Amino acid sequence: MITYWLDYDWVPDSRTEKLMMEAFGRMVEERERGVAGYYHLPEDSKLLETEVKAWMASNPVLPRCDTIVLIGIGGSSLGTRAVDSMLRHGTENVKRFVFLENPDPVDISEKLSTIRKEKTLFIVVSKSGTTIETISLFKTVIDRFDLDLKGTDRSRVLVITDEGSPLCRFADDHELKAYTIPENVGGRFSVLSAVGIVPLTIAGYDTCGILQGASDMVTRFFERREKHIEKKAAFMATHWERYRMNVLFAYATFLEEFSGWYVHLWGESLGKIDAEGMHVGPTPIGRIGAVDQHSFLQLVMEGPRDKTVTFMKVVDFENDLKIPSLTLENIENADYINTHTFNELINAECDATLQSMVEKKIPVDLIALDRMTPANVGELIVYYELLTSMTGAMLDIDIYTQPGLERGKTILINKFEKDR
């Protein structure tokens, strides 16, 4: 179960209420017309999960594999990384992930040195099938491990891409197993498609539970039973010129990868030029408590009042590690926390920091997960996707494109073409 709480000291006026209704209607239309396919993924991917398990049972190399190397970048890997990080500590017998994403030669070399071919399944993920970082890393893996893609290693490589993409054609030519991404699902909204469900299922996670949690949230939202999403989106969309940043302050180290996924989803979707030529979109910032209480918090509390803050905590870490009942000479003033659990400490820090911001009248909201379960993870993913769509609809922008990225890609291609 997840609890949501808002403290914005703000009530939408009649004009904003009208905008909220129009934005909700736009999302209903997107869902019905198939403009954005992510609305249907929680149900559609249940069949996919069944198909993956059948493939796993017939794959001859998988019983010997304890590692999955996922080759992808951005939306092709961030969601899977986030789910793996959030659920790994509470899931038994899951396979190790190695994520090959960034074209950083030191990072690549270090990760490759940890991989044993005979113990590894390689998964290549690229929606377009031409992502330069991903294809370059795929070539490196083929060369480094001498992969025979027309023979003995065919069962060791799996492809996830768009139907008919160059990577899909490559897979067909080499008779590699391929799963496709729905055409109307963008990369940053794709974690509940084959992009995330296939590798997470193979790794041993309860993807059925993830999908059910997501499906339940989608149902409740379109039945207007999650009105807090509409109010939060309305505040973000109507106050972004004053509050130009939203800080996700997540109180668990294993939520750091989720923060990265949120920054990607929010930034690429909402950073746009609107119909009037105005550059819009609140900037997403991911921070981890309690670590960043000792740095970034000062800026929030006494710096420019241009930020909203979302607190995220896990009520029960299902870990009873305690602070020992020890008294250290000269630092006895720290004894007040003795015998309490670290679970109590980190959540008390979250609550105290939140209260201090409420007292300063900084707009805050809280997302409290009772535990870190597959269903809660699925709900959390869809919560942020719906919030992003609702905010974009109220800003009257197309959140499913990313034209700002294209010029850089063109310059990169021209540079290397010139050097050939």
Side-chain angles (χ1 to χ4, degrees):
M1 183 179 73
I2 305 180
T3 303
Y4 305 89
W5 175 80
L6 306 177
D7 186 84
Y8 290 157
D9 191 25
W10 170 75
V11 177
D13 58 22
S14 58
R15 179 177 177 276
T16 304
E17 290 279 6
K18 183 173 182 292
L19 286 174
M20 290 166 68
M21 284 298 297
E22 291 173 350
F24 182 80
R26 176 167 160 177
M27 292 177 67
V28 170
E29 184 179 358
E30 285 180 353
R31 187 189 189 199
E32 291 176 349
R33 292 176 49 215
V35 172
Y38 84 85
Y39 298 118
H40 300 286
L41 288 178
E43 286 300 316
D44 291 350
S45 291
K46 289 178 180 177
L47 178 60
L48 173 65
E49 186 250 7
T50 301
E51 292 174 357
V52 173
K53 287 184 175 178
W55 174 82
M56 290 170 62
S58 65
N59 185 287
V61 305
L62 206 56
R64 296 188 296 276
C65 291
D66 60 14
T67 298
I68 297 173
V69 172
L70 195 149
I71 308 168
I73 194 169
S76 295
S77 65
L78 286 172
T80 304
R81 282 178 66 107
V83 175
D84 178 52
S85 180
M86 288 189 285
L87 292 179
R88 176 163 292 274
H89 68 279
T91 310
E92 296 182 354
N93 302 319
V94 290
K95 299 183 190 302
R96 175 178 75 115
F97 272 108
V98 176
F99 293 92
L100 293 179
E101 302 165 292
N102 204 26
D104 171 345
V106 173
D107 180 66
I108 296 166
S109 298
E110 288 180 350
K111 288 178 176 176
L112 290 178
S113 69
T114 71
I115 297 167
R116 296 171 58 196
K117 172 182 168 180
E118 67 276 11
K119 294 279 191 178
T120 302
L121 177 74
F122 299 91
I123 303 180
V124 190
V125 188
S126 169
K127 182 170 173 61
S128 68
T130 59
T131 311
I132 192 62
E133 298 91 347
T134 301
I135 301 306
S136 298
L137 285 162
F138 186 30
K139 291 178 181 178
T140 303
V141 163
I142 293 171
D143 181 68
R144 173 67 174 262
F145 298 103
D146 192 25
L147 295 180
D148 178 10
L149 299 184
K150 286 188 175 292
T152 56
D153 293 320
R154 186 178 294 147
S155 299
R156 196 175 296 283
V157 178
L158 189 152
V159 166
I160 302 172
T161 186
D162 272 358
E163 181 74 39
S165 76
L167 182 58
C168 186
R169 295 197 297 272
F170 176 88
D172 288 343
D173 289 345
H174 291 78
E175 297 182 14
L176 303 176
K177 179 63 178 177
Y179 290 96
T180 57
I181 306 163
E183 185 179 356
N184 61 352
V185 174
R188 56 190 174 275
F189 290 88
S190 67
V191 61
L192 298 181
S193 73
V195 168
I197 295 304
V198 170
L200 290 167
T201 300
I202 295 171
Y205 288 111
D206 177 12
T207 47
C208 186
I210 293 171
L211 293 169
Q212 191 58 54
S215 178
D216 291 344
M217 169 56 96
V218 171
T219 298
R220 293 196 304 271
F221 175 81
F222 282 104
E223 290 177 352
R224 307 297 295 279
R225 290 191 283 141
E226 299 285 355
K227 298 293 286 290
H228 59 92
I229 295 178
E230 298 178 37
K231 183 176 181 181
K232 182 174 177 179
F235 186 86
M236 296 289 187
T238 58
H239 290 74
W240 74 267
E241 289 185 84
R242 176 180 177 185
Y243 298 108
R244 291 182 172 269
M245 287 163 264
N246 174 247
V247 182
L248 174 57
F249 226 128
Y251 277 73
T253 304
F254 56 69
L255 289 171
E256 188 166 8
E257 299 291 353
F258 182 83
S259 293
W261 174 82
Y262 147 74
V263 169
H264 170 59
L265 173 72
W266 194 259
E268 198 168 81
S269 298
L270 298 178
K272 297 290 166 63
I273 300 174
D274 67 12
E276 297 177 359
M278 180 178 254
H279 295 265
V280 303
T283 298
I285 298 171
R287 288 292 179 264
I288 294 298
V291 174
D292 288 316
Q293 287 182 194
H294 296 264
S295 54
F296 190 79
L297 179 59
Q298 174 64 31
L299 178 64
V300 177
M301 294 296 288
E302 296 189 351
R305 290 300 174 88
D306 55 359
K307 305 166 192 69
T308 62
V309 181
T310 298
F311 286 86
M312 185 180 293
K313 72 175 185 179
V314 181
V315 176
D316 183 2
F317 281 76
E318 299 181 277
N319 184 311
D320 59 1
L321 182 65
K322 289 186 176 182
I323 295 101
S325 183
L326 295 177
T327 297
L328 302 179
E329 187 177 354
N330 296 320
I331 46 178
E332 294 88 352
N333 62 354
D335 287 356
Y336 68 90
I337 199 69
N338 282 4
T339 73
H340 287 278
T341 66
F342 281 96
N343 192 145
E344 291 176 293
L345 174 57
I346 196 168
N347 282 330
E349 290 184 295
C350 175
D351 295 343
T353 306
L354 185 153
Q355 182 179 334
S356 70
M357 291 191 191
V358 170
E359 291 173 357
K360 290 280 190 179
K361 298 191 181 305
I362 295 169
V364 300
D365 67 286
L366 171 67
I367 302 172
L369 296 84
D370 62 342
R371 293 177 298 120
M372 190 53 68
T373 65
N376 280 348
V377 168
E379 176 176 331
L380 193 61
I381 288 168
V382 170
Y383 163 83
Y384 265 101
E385 292 176 337
L386 293 168
L387 179 66
T388 301
S389 288
M390 188 75 183
T391 305
M394 291 200 66
L395 289 169
D396 195 24
I397 57 175
D398 184 351
I399 70 166
Y400 306 113
T401 62
Q402 50 280 336
L405 305 182
E406 301 309 315
R407 179 56 183 157
K409 292 179 182 178
T410 301
I411 293 172
L412 176 69
I413 292 170
N414 290 342
K415 171 179 171 53
F416 281 97
E417 287 290 349
K418 189 184 300 182
D419 293 341
R420 290 179 68 176

